[in-house]
Amino acid sequence: MVCCALTGCKSDVLICPLRPVERFRDLHPEEVADLFCVTQRVGNVVEQHFGGTSLTIAVQDGPEAGQTVKHVHVHVLPRKTGDFSRNDNVYDELQHHDKEDSPGKWRSEEEMAAEATILQKYFQ
């Protein structure tokens, strides 16, 4: 029911439902359950693979919450001590990670495809 895609922000992984819906409230209960079961599984993998010791799991639900893509998605970010000077700066990064003014931070399509291939082995 859901799929994963890597984005260009600090090994951030996105998990989104296959059925495109704009807001979290538009998901059916079974889609919510599936979305968060997959989020848990992906979180375990990305934390291990990227050497994290914690996770930030975030849903930006609506434009005032920072949602820029009109499709429900969950951000899963592996975290380490000192990865941000202030812990809550991660939310600033989420707010700006896909803006056109920050392309220097983005990984290329090729880099993301290579990472997706590497992570795929955990889900065989």
Side-chain angles (χ1 to χ4, degrees):
M1 181 170 303
V2 296
C3 64
C4 304
L6 288 173
T7 70
C9 170
K10 294 187 182 277
S11 307
D12 178 11
V13 174
L14 291 185
I15 302 154
C16 57
L18 290 175
R19 185 173 70 90
V21 297
E22 188 171 331
R23 299 288 308 277
F24 185 77
R25 66 178 174 230
D26 299 328
L27 292 170
H28 300 304
E30 62 276 4
E31 291 172 314
V32 172
D34 193 36
L35 181 64
F36 281 97
C37 284
V38 171
T39 298
Q40 183 179 46
R41 187 171 173 208
V42 168
N44 289 336
V45 166
V46 298
E47 186 173 343
Q48 173 190 343
H49 180 78
F50 292 107
T53 55
S54 298
L55 296 169
T56 291
I57 297 171
V59 177
Q60 295 166 293
D61 190 32
E64 290 74 29
Q67 182 184 25
T68 56
V69 177
K70 293 184 177 187
H71 185 176
V72 171
H73 56 282
V74 178
H75 293 262
V76 180
L77 294 93
R79 302 291 307 275
K80 300 176 188 176
T81 301
D83 57 359
F84 288 92
S85 59
R86 224 178 103 263
N87 192 46
D88 282 351
N89 287 352
V90 67
Y91 301 109
D92 295 330
E93 182 73 20
L94 279 172
Q95 183 75 21
H96 301 289
H97 81 282
D98 60 353
K99 299 285 192 265
E100 301 230 358
D101 62 351
S102 62
K105 294 182 180 181
W106 298 352
R107 293 187 304 263
S108 70
E109 291 288 330
E110 293 78 21
E111 290 170 311
M112 289 188 285
E115 287 177 341
T117 299
I118 290 166
L119 291 175
Q120 199 171 30
K121 71 181 179 189
Y122 294 103
F123 301 101
Q124 303 295 331

